[in-house]
Short mmCIF file of all heavy atoms in Angstrom, two decimals:
data_model
loop_
_atom_site.label_atom_id
_atom_site.label_comp_id
_atom_site.label_asym_id
_atom_site.label_seq_id
_atom_site.Cartn_x
_atom_site.Cartn_y
_atom_site.Cartn_z
N PRO R 1036 -168.39 32.25 42.94
CA PRO R 1036 -169.52 32.52 42.03
C PRO R 1036 -169.04 32.79 40.61
O PRO R 1036 -167.95 33.36 40.40
CB PRO R 1036 -170.18 33.75 42.64
CG PRO R 1036 -169.74 33.76 44.08
CD PRO R 1036 -168.37 33.17 44.08
N LEU R 1037 -169.83 32.38 39.65
CA LEU R 1037 -169.47 32.65 38.25
C LEU R 1037 -169.42 34.15 38.01
O LEU R 1037 -168.49 34.67 37.39
CB LEU R 1037 -170.48 31.99 37.32
CG LEU R 1037 -170.29 32.28 35.84
CD1 LEU R 1037 -168.96 31.74 35.33
CD2 LEU R 1037 -171.46 31.71 35.03
N LEU R 1038 -170.44 34.86 38.50
CA LEU R 1038 -170.51 36.31 38.32
C LEU R 1038 -170.58 36.99 39.68
O LEU R 1038 -171.39 36.61 40.52
CB LEU R 1038 -171.74 36.69 37.50
CG LEU R 1038 -172.00 38.19 37.33
CD1 LEU R 1038 -170.92 38.85 36.48
CD2 LEU R 1038 -173.39 38.43 36.72
N GLN R 1039 -169.71 37.98 39.90
CA GLN R 1039 -169.74 38.80 41.11
C GLN R 1039 -169.75 40.27 40.70
O GLN R 1039 -168.86 40.71 39.97
CB GLN R 1039 -168.53 38.53 42.01
CG GLN R 1039 -168.49 37.15 42.63
CD GLN R 1039 -167.19 36.92 43.38
OE1 GLN R 1039 -166.19 36.50 42.81
NE2 GLN R 1039 -167.20 37.22 44.67
N VAL R 1040 -170.74 40.99 41.15
CA VAL R 1040 -170.82 42.43 40.94
C VAL R 1040 -170.63 43.08 42.29
O VAL R 1040 -171.39 42.82 43.22
CB VAL R 1040 -172.17 42.82 40.31
CG1 VAL R 1040 -172.32 44.34 40.26
CG2 VAL R 1040 -172.31 42.23 38.92
N GLU R 1041 -169.60 43.92 42.41
CA GLU R 1041 -169.24 44.48 43.71
C GLU R 1041 -169.33 46.00 43.69
O GLU R 1041 -168.57 46.67 42.96
CB GLU R 1041 -167.81 44.05 44.09
CG GLU R 1041 -167.64 42.54 44.23
CD GLU R 1041 -166.22 42.15 44.60
OE1 GLU R 1041 -165.33 43.04 44.55
OE2 GLU R 1041 -166.00 40.97 44.93
N ASP R 1042 -170.26 46.55 44.44
CA ASP R 1042 -170.40 48.01 44.64
C ASP R 1042 -170.33 48.77 43.33
O ASP R 1042 -169.60 49.76 43.19
CB ASP R 1042 -169.31 48.51 45.60
CG ASP R 1042 -169.43 47.89 46.98
OD1 ASP R 1042 -170.57 47.72 47.44
OD2 ASP R 1042 -168.39 47.56 47.58
N LEU R 1043 -171.11 48.34 42.37
CA LEU R 1043 -171.04 48.91 41.02
C LEU R 1043 -171.74 50.27 40.98
O LEU R 1043 -172.89 50.43 41.40
CB LEU R 1043 -171.70 47.96 40.03
CG LEU R 1043 -171.21 48.02 38.58
CD1 LEU R 1043 -169.71 47.77 38.51
CD2 LEU R 1043 -171.95 47.01 37.72
N VAL R 1044 -171.01 51.26 40.47
CA VAL R 1044 -171.51 52.63 40.34
C VAL R 1044 -171.32 53.07 38.90
O VAL R 1044 -170.28 52.82 38.29
CB VAL R 1044 -170.74 53.59 41.28
CG1 VAL R 1044 -171.17 55.04 41.06
CG2 VAL R 1044 -170.94 53.17 42.74
N LYS R 1045 -172.34 53.72 38.35
CA LYS R 1045 -172.22 54.28 37.01
C LYS R 1045 -172.92 55.63 36.96
O LYS R 1045 -174.12 55.74 37.24
CB LYS R 1045 -172.84 53.35 35.96
CG LYS R 1045 -172.72 53.87 34.53
CD LYS R 1045 -171.26 54.02 34.09
CE LYS R 1045 -171.17 54.50 32.66
NZ LYS R 1045 -169.74 54.68 32.24
N HIS R 1046 -172.16 56.67 36.61
CA HIS R 1046 -172.69 58.02 36.46
C HIS R 1046 -172.54 58.45 35.00
O HIS R 1046 -171.53 58.16 34.36
CB HIS R 1046 -171.93 59.02 37.35
CG HIS R 1046 -172.10 58.73 38.81
ND1 HIS R 1046 -171.27 59.28 39.77
CD2 HIS R 1046 -172.99 57.96 39.48
CE1 HIS R 1046 -171.65 58.84 40.97
NE2 HIS R 1046 -172.69 58.05 40.82
N TYR R 1047 -173.53 59.13 34.49
CA TYR R 1047 -173.48 59.69 33.13
C TYR R 1047 -173.55 61.21 33.22
O TYR R 1047 -174.40 61.76 33.93
CB TYR R 1047 -174.65 59.19 32.29
CG TYR R 1047 -174.62 57.72 31.98
CD1 TYR R 1047 -175.41 56.83 32.71
CD2 TYR R 1047 -173.82 57.21 30.97
CE1 TYR R 1047 -175.40 55.47 32.42
CE2 TYR R 1047 -173.80 55.86 30.67
CZ TYR R 1047 -174.59 55.00 31.40
OH TYR R 1047 -174.58 53.65 31.13
N ARG R 1048 -172.67 61.87 32.50
CA ARG R 1048 -172.72 63.34 32.42
C ARG R 1048 -173.56 63.74 31.21
O ARG R 1048 -173.35 63.27 30.11
CB ARG R 1048 -171.31 63.92 32.29
CG ARG R 1048 -170.47 63.74 33.55
CD ARG R 1048 -169.16 64.52 33.47
NE ARG R 1048 -168.39 64.37 34.68
CZ ARG R 1048 -168.57 65.10 35.77
NH1 ARG R 1048 -169.48 66.05 35.79
NH2 ARG R 1048 -167.83 64.90 36.85
N LEU R 1049 -174.52 64.63 31.45
CA LEU R 1049 -175.40 65.12 30.39
C LEU R 1049 -174.84 66.42 29.81
O LEU R 1049 -173.96 67.06 30.41
CB LEU R 1049 -176.80 65.35 30.96
CG LEU R 1049 -177.48 64.11 31.57
CD1 LEU R 1049 -178.87 64.49 32.07
CD2 LEU R 1049 -177.55 62.98 30.57
N PRO R 1050 -175.33 66.83 28.65
CA PRO R 1050 -174.89 68.11 28.08
C PRO R 1050 -175.21 69.27 29.02
O PRO R 1050 -176.21 69.27 29.74
CB PRO R 1050 -175.71 68.22 26.78
CG PRO R 1050 -176.06 66.81 26.44
CD PRO R 1050 -176.23 66.10 27.75
N ARG R 1051 -174.35 70.27 29.00
CA ARG R 1051 -174.55 71.46 29.84
C ARG R 1051 -175.83 72.19 29.43
O ARG R 1051 -176.12 72.32 28.24
CB ARG R 1051 -173.37 72.43 29.70
CG ARG R 1051 -172.04 71.86 30.13
CD ARG R 1051 -170.92 72.85 29.79
NE ARG R 1051 -169.61 72.28 30.05
CZ ARG R 1051 -168.97 72.39 31.20
NH1 ARG R 1051 -169.52 73.08 32.18
NH2 ARG R 1051 -167.78 71.85 31.36
N GLU R 1052 -176.56 72.64 30.43
CA GLU R 1052 -177.76 73.42 30.15
C GLU R 1052 -177.41 74.87 29.83
O GLU R 1052 -178.13 75.53 29.10
CB GLU R 1052 -178.71 73.34 31.34
CG GLU R 1052 -179.21 71.93 31.62
CD GLU R 1052 -180.09 71.86 32.84
OE1 GLU R 1052 -180.20 72.90 33.55
OE2 GLU R 1052 -180.67 70.78 33.11
N ARG R 1053 -176.32 75.38 30.42
CA ARG R 1053 -175.82 76.72 30.13
C ARG R 1053 -174.31 76.64 29.94
O ARG R 1053 -173.66 75.71 30.41
CB ARG R 1053 -176.17 77.70 31.27
CG ARG R 1053 -177.67 77.86 31.50
CD ARG R 1053 -177.96 78.93 32.54
NE ARG R 1053 -177.27 78.64 33.81
CZ ARG R 1053 -177.75 77.83 34.74
NH1 ARG R 1053 -178.91 77.21 34.55
NH2 ARG R 1053 -177.09 77.63 35.86
N LEU R 1054 -173.75 77.64 29.30
CA LEU R 1054 -172.34 77.60 28.91
C LEU R 1054 -171.42 77.39 30.10
O LEU R 1054 -170.51 76.57 30.06
CB LEU R 1054 -171.98 78.89 28.18
CG LEU R 1054 -170.51 78.99 27.72
CD1 LEU R 1054 -170.18 77.88 26.74
CD2 LEU R 1054 -170.24 80.37 27.10
N LEU R 1055 -171.62 78.10 31.19
CA LEU R 1055 -170.71 78.05 32.33
C LEU R 1055 -171.22 77.15 33.46
O LEU R 1055 -170.58 77.06 34.51
CB LEU R 1055 -170.46 79.46 32.87
CG LEU R 1055 -169.84 80.45 31.87
CD1 LEU R 1055 -169.65 81.82 32.51
CD2 LEU R 1055 -168.50 79.92 31.35
N ALA R 1056 -172.34 76.51 33.24
CA ALA R 1056 -172.90 75.65 34.28
C ALA R 1056 -172.20 74.29 34.29
O ALA R 1056 -171.68 73.83 33.27
CB ALA R 1056 -174.40 75.46 34.06
N ALA R 1057 -172.17 73.67 35.45
CA ALA R 1057 -171.62 72.31 35.54
C ALA R 1057 -172.56 71.34 34.84
O ALA R 1057 -173.78 71.49 34.91
CB ALA R 1057 -171.46 71.91 37.01
N PRO R 1058 -172.03 70.35 34.13
CA PRO R 1058 -172.91 69.39 33.44
C PRO R 1058 -173.70 68.56 34.44
O PRO R 1058 -173.14 68.11 35.45
CB PRO R 1058 -171.93 68.53 32.65
CG PRO R 1058 -170.62 68.68 33.34
CD PRO R 1058 -170.61 70.06 33.92
N PRO R 1059 -174.99 68.37 34.21
CA PRO R 1059 -175.76 67.53 35.13
C PRO R 1059 -175.28 66.09 35.08
O PRO R 1059 -174.75 65.63 34.06
CB PRO R 1059 -177.20 67.64 34.61
CG PRO R 1059 -177.17 68.52 33.43
CD PRO R 1059 -175.78 68.89 33.12
N VAL R 1060 -175.44 65.38 36.18
CA VAL R 1060 -174.99 63.99 36.31
C VAL R 1060 -176.18 63.10 36.64
O VAL R 1060 -176.95 63.40 37.55
CB VAL R 1060 -173.90 63.85 37.40
CG1 VAL R 1060 -173.52 62.39 37.60
CG2 VAL R 1060 -172.67 64.67 37.03
N VAL R 1061 -176.32 62.02 35.87
CA VAL R 1061 -177.33 61.01 36.15
C VAL R 1061 -176.66 59.83 36.85
O VAL R 1061 -175.69 59.27 36.34
CB VAL R 1061 -178.01 60.51 34.85
CG1 VAL R 1061 -178.94 59.34 35.14
CG2 VAL R 1061 -178.77 61.64 34.19
N GLN R 1062 -177.15 59.49 38.02
CA GLN R 1062 -176.59 58.39 38.79
C GLN R 1062 -177.38 57.12 38.46
O GLN R 1062 -178.35 56.77 39.13
CB GLN R 1062 -176.63 58.71 40.28
CG GLN R 1062 -175.83 59.94 40.64
CD GLN R 1062 -175.89 60.28 42.12
OE1 GLN R 1062 -176.59 59.62 42.88
NE2 GLN R 1062 -175.14 61.29 42.53
N ALA R 1063 -176.95 56.41 37.42
CA ALA R 1063 -177.70 55.25 36.92
C ALA R 1063 -177.61 54.06 37.87
O ALA R 1063 -178.59 53.35 38.08
CB ALA R 1063 -177.19 54.86 35.54
N LEU R 1064 -176.43 53.83 38.44
CA LEU R 1064 -176.24 52.76 39.43
C LEU R 1064 -175.51 53.35 40.62
O LEU R 1064 -174.55 54.12 40.45
CB LEU R 1064 -175.43 51.59 38.85
CG LEU R 1064 -176.08 50.76 37.75
CD1 LEU R 1064 -175.11 49.69 37.25
CD2 LEU R 1064 -177.38 50.12 38.22
N GLN R 1065 -175.94 52.96 41.83
CA GLN R 1065 -175.37 53.54 43.04
C GLN R 1065 -175.01 52.44 44.05
O GLN R 1065 -175.64 52.28 45.08
CB GLN R 1065 -176.37 54.51 43.68
CG GLN R 1065 -176.83 55.62 42.75
CD GLN R 1065 -177.75 56.59 43.45
OE1 GLN R 1065 -177.35 57.29 44.39
NE2 GLN R 1065 -178.99 56.65 43.02
N GLY R 1066 -173.99 51.67 43.71
CA GLY R 1066 -173.50 50.68 44.65
C GLY R 1066 -174.23 49.35 44.60
O GLY R 1066 -174.64 48.82 45.64
N VAL R 1067 -174.40 48.79 43.42
CA VAL R 1067 -175.10 47.51 43.25
C VAL R 1067 -174.13 46.35 43.43
O VAL R 1067 -173.05 46.33 42.84
CB VAL R 1067 -175.75 47.43 41.85
CG1 VAL R 1067 -176.28 46.02 41.57
CG2 VAL R 1067 -176.87 48.45 41.73
N SER R 1068 -174.51 45.39 44.26
CA SER R 1068 -173.71 44.18 44.48
C SER R 1068 -174.63 42.96 44.36
O SER R 1068 -175.74 42.96 44.90
CB SER R 1068 -173.07 44.18 45.87
OG SER R 1068 -172.16 45.25 46.02
N LEU R 1069 -174.16 41.95 43.63
CA LEU R 1069 -174.92 40.71 43.50
C LEU R 1069 -173.98 39.59 43.07
O LEU R 1069 -172.85 39.83 42.65
CB LEU R 1069 -176.07 40.87 42.50
CG LEU R 1069 -175.76 41.40 41.09
CD1 LEU R 1069 -175.32 40.27 40.15
CD2 LEU R 1069 -176.97 42.11 40.51
N GLN R 1070 -174.47 38.36 43.21
CA GLN R 1070 -173.71 37.18 42.82
C GLN R 1070 -174.62 36.23 42.05
O GLN R 1070 -175.82 36.18 42.28
CB GLN R 1070 -173.15 36.45 44.05
CG GLN R 1070 -172.11 37.23 44.83
CD GLN R 1070 -171.51 36.42 45.97
OE1 GLN R 1070 -171.96 35.30 46.25
NE2 GLN R 1070 -170.51 36.96 46.63
N LEU R 1071 -174.00 35.47 41.15
CA LEU R 1071 -174.73 34.48 40.37
C LEU R 1071 -173.85 33.23 40.25
O LEU R 1071 -172.73 33.30 39.73
CB LEU R 1071 -175.08 35.02 38.99
CG LEU R 1071 -175.81 34.08 38.03
CD1 LEU R 1071 -177.11 33.58 38.64
CD2 LEU R 1071 -176.07 34.77 36.70
N GLN R 1072 -174.37 32.12 40.74
CA GLN R 1072 -173.64 30.85 40.67
C GLN R 1072 -173.83 30.20 39.30
O GLN R 1072 -174.76 30.52 38.56
CB GLN R 1072 -174.12 29.90 41.77
CG GLN R 1072 -173.94 30.41 43.19
CD GLN R 1072 -172.48 30.42 43.64
OE1 GLN R 1072 -171.62 29.83 42.99
NE2 GLN R 1072 -172.21 31.06 44.77
N ARG R 1073 -172.96 29.28 38.99
CA ARG R 1073 -173.07 28.53 37.74
C ARG R 1073 -174.41 27.79 37.67
O ARG R 1073 -174.88 27.25 38.66
CB ARG R 1073 -171.92 27.52 37.61
CG ARG R 1073 -170.57 28.18 37.33
CD ARG R 1073 -169.42 27.22 37.48
NE ARG R 1073 -168.16 27.80 37.03
CZ ARG R 1073 -167.42 28.63 37.74
NH1 ARG R 1073 -167.82 28.98 38.96
NH2 ARG R 1073 -166.30 29.12 37.26
N ALA R 1074 -174.99 27.77 36.47
CA ALA R 1074 -176.22 27.04 36.18
C ALA R 1074 -177.44 27.57 36.94
O ALA R 1074 -178.45 26.91 37.02
CB ALA R 1074 -176.05 25.55 36.45
N ARG R 1075 -177.35 28.78 37.48
CA ARG R 1075 -178.47 29.40 38.19
C ARG R 1075 -178.97 30.61 37.39
O ARG R 1075 -178.30 31.10 36.48
CB ARG R 1075 -178.05 29.84 39.59
CG ARG R 1075 -177.51 28.73 40.46
CD ARG R 1075 -178.60 27.80 40.94
NE ARG R 1075 -179.43 28.45 41.96
CZ ARG R 1075 -180.51 27.88 42.49
NH1 ARG R 1075 -180.89 26.69 42.10
NH2 ARG R 1075 -181.20 28.51 43.43
#
């Protein structure tokens, strides 16, 4: 395939809500896989 996306994960860390708190995490992609052939 021209394009192969395999188990793609992307997390973003947000600013801390409190000084000692762990930064919140946004799970934008959670294991996306796809294929795209040429000219499709």
Side-chain angles (χ1 to χ4, degrees):
L1037 175 63
L1038 175 68
Q1039 293 174 273
V1040 173
E1041 299 180 349
D1042 297 321
L1043 207 57
V1044 175
K1045 181 62 178 179
H1046 296 164
Y1047 293 101
R1048 292 189 178 276
L1049 301 181
R1051 299 173 186 269
E1052 297 177 353
R1053 298 185 304 276
L1054 180 61
L1055 300 180
V1060 175
V1061 173
Q1062 299 179 357
L1064 293 178
Q1065 303 183 64
V1067 170
S1068 297
L1069 54 85
Q1070 294 185 354
L1071 178 58
Q1072 300 288 347
R1073 288 169 172 80
R1075 302 286 288 176

